[in-house]
C-alpha cells in the first residue's frame, strides 16, 4: 500500500509513520517528491493496520497498490529510476547505446569490435561469454576466458561491459568481471537466478522472455528488486508470434506501456527483435522514437564469420551510419544523444 503524507507533514511525522509501519512488519520505500512524501509499504495490510496508520498525524490517505508488481511500479516510485554505470546514466535524458558482438570469440575479435563501436558512438560494450544456444553442439561461449577478454577491453577502452549470466552458480564469477549482468530471454523466469542477481550490487539487464507478458516481465523484475537490488534495466527483445518474416516480433508497444507502469529504465534490442541486419536500423530509430532509454545492438567486424547471430549483426559501417542518424532523432523526441569523445587507450 501507499501512505500519502499531507503536503505539510513534518519530518518527525513521516519518521513516526515509517517506524509504526516497520513495527507492523512492512518493508519501507520512501519517495520524497517536490509536492509531498509518499511512503511505499510492502507487507500484509490488515484492516486494523490501515485504520491505525490512517489516523496518524500528517497522513493524508492510504492507497492500495493495484498491480501485482509493487517495487517495480510507478505507484510506489513516481519518478523514473536512473541506473548509473561508471559515468553512463541509463534512464536519464541521454540515449544510451550498448553494442558489440553476440559472443566473445577471441581477444582480437572483441577488441577490434570494441574499438569500432566505441569510435562510432557506443558507450557500453556487449558480448556473451556464456551463450544460451538452442543446440548443445553450437558454440557455447568462452566462459571465464571470455569474461577476462571483456575485462581487458574495459581496461583498455574505459567502456563498461554487459554480459549474460546463464546459471545461478556463475553469478559470483560473472559479477567479478561485468559491470552489468544480463539475464537472457530464456531465463526471465528462472526465479533462483533472479534471486541470485538480486543480492549482487551490480546493475541487471533483464530481457523480456520470448513468450512472456509485460506483467510477467515486471514480476520478474520484482524478484530482483525484492531481493535487494534496485538497479534493474528492462530490455525488450521481441516476442514469438505467428510471423516468420522476422526472427521475433519486436513489441515496441511495450515501450510506452512499461513507461506508464514502471519507473525502471527500458532499452530495446532490435538485433534479436528482428534477427535480420537489414531491419535493425529502422527498429533502432523506432525504439528511440517510442521513448526507449537506449538500445543494445549486435555488431561484428565480419558478420559472415560470426560464431553466433551473424545474420542479425551489423557491419561496422552500418553501425556508424546508424549512429550518425541518432542525434537528430533523439532531439526530435525530447532526448539527447551525444557521440562520446574519442578514447585514449591505456
Ligand atoms: C543475446 O543477447 O545474445 C541473447 C542471447 O539475447 P536473448 O536472451 O534476448 O535471446
Ligand atoms: Mn545474440
Amino acid at each position: 500500500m501507499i501512505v500519502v503524507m499531507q503536503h505539510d507533514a513534518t519530518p518527525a511525522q513521516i519518521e513516526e509513520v515509517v517506524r509504526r509501519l516497520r513495527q507492523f512488519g512492512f518493508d519501507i520505500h520512501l519517495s520524497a517528491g517536490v509536492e509531498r512524501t509518499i511512503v511505499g509499504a510492502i507487507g500484509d495490510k490488515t484492516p486494523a493496520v490501515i485504520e491505525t496508520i490512517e489516523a496518524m498525524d500528517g497522513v493524508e490517505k492510504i492507497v492500495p497498490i493495484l498491480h501485482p508488481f509493487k517495487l517495480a511500479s510507478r505507484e510506489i516510485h513516481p519518478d523514473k529510476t536512473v541506473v548509473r554505470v561508471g559515468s553512463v546514466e541509463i534512464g536519464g535524458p541521454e540515449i544510451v547505446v550498448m553494442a558489440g558482438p553476440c559472443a566473445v570469440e577471441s581477444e582480437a575479435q572483441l577488441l577490434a569490435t570494441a574499438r569500432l563501436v566505441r569510435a562510432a558512438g557506443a558507450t557500453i560494450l556487449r558480448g556473451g561469454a556464456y551463450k544460451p544456444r538452442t543446440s548443445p553442439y553450437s558454440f557455447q561461449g568462452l566462459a571465464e576466458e571470455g569474461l577476462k577478454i571483456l575485462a581487458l577491453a574495459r581496461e583498455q577502452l574505459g567502456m563498461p561491459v554487459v554480459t549474460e549470466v546463464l546459471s545461478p552458480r556463475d553469478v559470483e564469477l560473472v559479477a567479478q568481471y561485468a559491470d552489468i549482468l544480463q539475464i537472457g530471454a530464456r531465463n526471465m523466469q528462472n526465479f533462483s537466478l533472479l534471486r541470485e542477481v538480486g543480492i549482487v550490487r551490480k546493475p541487471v539487464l533483464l530481457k523480456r522472455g520470448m513468450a512472456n507478458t509485460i506483467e510477467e516481465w515486471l514480476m520478474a523484475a520484482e524478484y530482483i528488486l525484492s531481493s535487494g537490488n534496485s538497479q534493474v534495466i528492462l530490455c525488450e527483445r521481441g516476442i514469438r508470434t505467428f510471423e516468420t518474416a522476422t526472427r521475433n516480433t519486436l513489441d515496441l508497444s511495450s515501450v510506452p506501456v512499461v513507461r506508464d507502469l514502471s519507473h525502471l529504465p527500458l532499452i530495446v534490442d532490435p538485433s534479436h527483435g528482428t534477427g535480420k541486419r537489414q531491419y535493425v536500423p529502422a527498429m533502432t530509430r523506432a525504439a528511440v522514437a517510442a521513448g526507449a532509454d537506449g538500445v543494445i545492438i549486435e555488431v561484428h567486424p565480419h558478420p559472415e564469420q560470426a560464431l553466433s547471430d551473424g545474420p542479425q549483426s551489423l557491419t561496422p559501417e552500418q553501425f556508424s551510419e546508424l549512429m550518425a542518424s541518432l542525434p537528430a532523432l533523439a532531439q526530435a523526441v525530447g532526448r539527447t544523444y551525444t557521440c562520446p569523445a574519442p578514447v585514449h587507450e591505456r
Side-chain angles (χ1 to χ4, degrees):
M1 65 186 178
I2 288 163
V3 182
V4 181
M5 301 302 295
Q6 288 165 358
H7 68 91
D8 55 356
T10 64
Q13 287 170 339
I14 297 168
E15 221 170 90
E16 185 55 16
V17 167
V18 168
R19 198 186 63 77
R20 286 308 294 275
L21 284 166
R22 287 214 168 102
Q23 240 175 20
F24 283 123
F26 285 84
D27 252 359
I28 302 301
H29 299 267
L30 261 189
S31 190
V34 192
E35 290 275 306
R36 64 187 72 232
T37 293
I38 70 167
V39 185
I42 308 288
D44 189 20
K45 52 175 201 302
T46 60
V49 168
I50 295 179
E51 229 170 73
T52 312
I53 302 296
E54 222 159 21
M56 288 182 73
D57 289 342
V59 172
E60 183 170 301
K61 60 178 173 184
I62 289 184
V63 189
I65 300 176
L66 298 174
H67 298 292
F69 45 88
K70 302 190 186 308
L71 300 177
S73 89
R74 276 262 187 204
E75 293 170 306
I76 211 164
H77 197 298
D79 297 331
K80 262 183 86 174
T81 286
V82 176
V83 172
R84 290 181 179 80
V85 188
S87 59
V88 183
E89 287 191 344
I90 305 159
E94 182 82 12
I95 300 296
V96 174
V97 177
M98 309 182 184
C102 177
V104 181
E105 298 169 3
S106 67
E107 188 179 308
Q109 170 254 15
L110 186 79
L111 287 177
T113 317
R115 284 191 189 103
L116 289 162
V117 297
R118 177 63 174 73
T123 47
I124 295 181
L125 177 64
R126 67 147 288 147
Y130 296 87
K131 295 306 303 175
R133 305 306 299 277
T134 301
S135 165
Y137 310 117
S138 300
F139 175 60
Q140 303 285 309
L142 298 179
E144 189 170 2
E145 190 196 334
L147 296 175
K148 288 184 174 153
I149 296 172
L150 284 165
L152 180 69
R154 174 189 38 223
E155 167 99 4
Q156 293 198 356
L157 293 156
M159 278 177 104
V161 301
V162 53
T163 195
E164 178 162 357
V165 56
L166 268 184
S167 153
R169 67 168 179 265
D170 297 329
V171 168
E172 217 182 292
L173 180 71
V174 176
Q176 281 170 29
Y177 292 96
D179 298 286
I180 306 175
L181 299 167
Q182 176 174 323
I183 301 295
R186 289 153 193 82
N187 265 323
M188 190 206 84
Q189 284 190 315
N190 181 338
F191 300 117
S192 49
L193 180 61
L194 297 177
R195 283 199 196 283
E196 207 59 43
V197 295
I199 55 176
V200 167
R201 294 286 156 262
K202 290 258 166 105
V204 175
L205 180 73
L206 177 64
K207 288 198 156 192
R208 179 178 179 181
M210 57 188 77
N212 287 109
T213 64
I214 291 171
E215 185 171 299
E216 287 164 342
W217 184 19
L218 292 174
M219 289 308 286
E222 194 77 11
Y223 265 87
I224 303 171
L225 298 168
S226 65
S227 303
N229 190 344
S230 60
Q231 304 182 81
V232 176
I233 305 153
L234 298 166
C235 178
E236 169 62 60
R237 49 77 74 204
I239 50 175
R240 284 242 168 118
T241 68
F242 52 80
E243 184 54 71
T244 53
T246 46
R247 181 179 177 183
N248 290 288
T249 295
L250 185 57
D251 179 14
L252 283 184
S253 57
S254 74
V255 176
V257 173
V258 166
R259 181 68 74 235
D260 245 8
L261 296 174
S262 179
H263 54 90
L264 296 171
L266 170 63
I267 69 163
V268 169
D269 176 347
S271 306
H272 294 86
T274 61
K276 296 185 179 168
R277 79 172 65 85
Q278 65 267 37
Y279 305 131
V280 169
M283 295 316 276
T284 299
R285 291 191 276 259
V288 173
D293 294 306
V295 284
I296 181 164
I297 299 175
E298 288 184 343
V299 179
H300 196 287
H302 305 286
E304 69 291 349
Q305 293 166 19
L307 297 181
S308 63
D309 287 349
Q312 69 194 34
S313 300
L314 294 186
T315 64
E317 297 71 32
Q318 288 171 321
F319 180 69
S320 294
E321 207 176 299
L322 172 59
M323 291 300 102
S325 72
L326 284 194
L329 180 66
Q331 197 189 8
V333 291
R335 305 292 289 263
T336 53
Y337 168 74
T338 330
C339 191
V343 67
H344 301 290
E345 283 196 42
R346 270 172 264 166

